[in-house]
Amino acid sequence: MKLTGVAATRYFAKPEPERTGLLIFGMDAMRVALRRQEVIVALIGPQGEEEMRLSRIAGGDLRKQPSLLLDAIKEVGFFPGPRVAFVEDATDAMADAVMTALDEWREGDAQIVVTAGSLTAKSKLRKAFEGHKNAYAIGIYDDPPSREEIEDILRRADLRDISNEAMTDLVTLSRALDPGDFRQTVEKIALYKFQDDTPLTPADVAACAPSSVEAGVDDVLSIVAEGRAPELGPVMRRLESQGVQPVQLAIAAMRHFRALHAAASDPQGPGSGIARIRPPVFGPRRDRMQRQAQSWGMYKLETALKELVEADLTLRSASRAPQMAVMERALMRLAMLARR
């Protein structure tokens, strides 16, 4: 039988121990591995592997010795409790061995869990599970996690008091990160909020979310975009002493002002435009960028982008002008433009 959507998500969290087996397949190996890990722990418990109630079989080994899976489901464990025979990286080359184990399975045998890569609808392995009356097949696709999946991840991390704004940021973050990275970020947030009874806020999410821009460079961009020209010189000196290169500043500034331009030109307003930025921005930084986009406006931002393109071309040309000075003058002109 085939499971999809919410039914599949619920089965991963609470699998049925009386089932013969489960096939999990998909192109993203990380997503498949996370689901496989979740369902096996739900079946045999966190101590199951230590108590030797989990038999691991590599797909290549099963191809060489087809009886391995049948032997694994029939063997009697030393410790009492449910058992799982897990086949990793299976392909259609092992379909016959898996089908034999499915046919020979009886109540009390170890449940069969098989993971595979992307399988077509005509796959022999996939058909074996989808056509079995007591086994399931679940495809894992690259769709972003559902709200229910996100809530389940948060619940497992013991994060329950979450503001609506923070939940919006978490949903956005889940669509920008790989599943494993998102789970690690949630665990980081849980540690950040340890013994903190206040609701989770967008600022908390922003504090723990992966950052794509160095803090020092981000400070410069904020100074420029907000027209705080007198503050630019000292910060530029500090960045230069830290070894930040002019080209790095040019790339970061171009990225920042392109994001502001996209936000300012969004038909639904800067708030909607900021929400579309990838990678996403959160908390105070998101609010700051939204204010910047509103203050600059689309046409003035186009002028800023032209200025940055000219500075970038100068940096990459054969000009003998001091590169950091070229970049600083370009940023100063932008800071002055922001004040008009």
Side-chain angles (χ1 to χ4, degrees):
M1 294 178 282
K2 181 166 64 174
L3 285 182
T4 58
V6 175
T9 301
R10 291 175 178 171
Y11 187 83
F12 285 129
K14 193 175 181 181
E16 301 165 11
E18 70 275 7
R19 293 293 173 182
T20 301
L22 170 68
L23 168 67
I24 310 172
F25 65 93
M27 185 177 296
D28 192 324
M30 174 61 75
R31 291 174 185 259
V32 171
L34 287 171
R35 287 306 192 183
R36 175 263 301 169
Q37 184 181 36
E38 180 181 355
V39 78
I40 289 179
V41 169
L43 283 169
I44 64 175
Q47 305 299 322
E49 187 166 7
E50 294 180 11
E51 295 177 354
M52 296 179 289
R53 291 187 283 113
L54 173 64
S55 300
R56 292 176 176 268
I57 304 171
D61 294 339
L62 183 60
R63 186 179 64 250
K64 296 174 184 177
Q65 193 174 346
S67 63
L68 283 176
L69 180 57
L70 183 58
D71 294 341
I73 67 171
K74 295 295 183 182
E75 68 183 12
V76 178
F78 182 79
F79 292 91
R83 296 178 296 111
V84 166
F86 165 48
V87 180
E88 188 173 17
D89 297 330
T91 65
D92 279 349
M94 301 122 214
D96 289 338
V98 173
M99 290 170 66
T100 298
L102 289 173
D103 292 339
E104 295 293 329
W105 187 91
R106 298 293 181 269
E107 186 176 350
D109 291 344
Q111 186 167 141
I112 301 167
V113 175
V114 179
T115 61
S118 183
L119 298 175
T120 66
K122 296 181 179 179
S123 163
K124 192 175 180 181
L125 184 62
R126 182 172 167 180
K127 284 184 176 181
F129 281 85
E130 290 182 347
H132 197 282
K133 63 181 181 180
N134 198 43
Y136 286 129
I138 301 177
I140 305 296
Y141 302 102
D142 292 339
D143 300 330
S146 65
R147 179 66 174 253
E148 185 173 357
E149 290 177 286
I150 294 170
E151 290 175 350
D152 181 62
I153 293 171
L154 295 172
R155 187 165 51 251
R156 289 172 180 271
D158 202 25
L159 289 170
R160 303 179 187 278
D161 194 358
I162 303 171
S163 68
N164 291 333
E165 296 80 5
M167 179 58 78
T168 299
D169 285 351
L170 288 168
V171 170
T172 303
L173 188 63
S174 72
R175 282 153 172 72
L177 299 178
D178 290 335
D181 293 337
F182 178 66
R183 289 179 183 243
Q184 288 180 352
T185 301
V186 170
E187 291 173 2
K188 182 179 178 182
I189 294 172
L191 289 172
Y192 182 80
K193 295 291 288 183
F194 182 65
Q195 293 185 339
D196 183 351
D197 296 331
T198 61
L200 184 70
T201 65
D204 297 329
V205 177
C208 300
S211 177
S212 60
V213 182
E214 292 183 9
V217 175
D218 197 37
D219 291 340
V220 168
L221 299 180
S222 294
I223 288 170
V224 172
E226 293 168 7
R228 295 182 278 133
E231 301 176 32
L232 182 61
V235 176
M236 290 292 291
R237 301 287 80 75
R238 189 166 68 248
L239 285 182
E240 188 174 14
S241 67
Q242 292 172 356
V244 175
Q245 297 300 312
V247 172
Q248 180 184 353
L249 269 176
I251 293 171
M254 185 71 72
R255 185 187 301 118
H256 185 80
F257 278 86
R258 279 177 178 166
L260 294 182
H261 182 264
S265 58
D266 191 285
Q268 298 179 8
S272 175
I274 291 294
R276 299 176 191 273
I277 293 177
R278 294 295 181 272
V281 292
F282 303 97
R285 183 166 176 257
R286 178 187 58 193
D287 297 336
R288 171 176 282 181
M289 288 185 67
Q290 184 173 335
R291 289 195 299 269
Q292 292 169 5
Q294 291 171 332
S295 174
W296 277 78
M298 181 177 69
Y299 297 109
K300 199 156 65 169
L301 284 166
E302 289 176 356
T303 302
L305 288 172
K306 291 177 183 177
E307 185 74 41
L308 288 171
V309 168
E310 290 177 6
D312 185 63
L313 290 174
T314 302
L315 293 177
R316 298 172 190 274
S317 69
S319 172
R320 295 187 178 181
Q323 291 197 334
M324 188 58 83
V326 169
M327 195 63 225
E328 184 175 351
R329 278 196 290 268
L331 294 176
M332 181 62 74
R333 284 192 289 268
L334 294 186
M336 297 304 294
L337 178 63
R339 303 174 70 174
R340 296 178 188 172

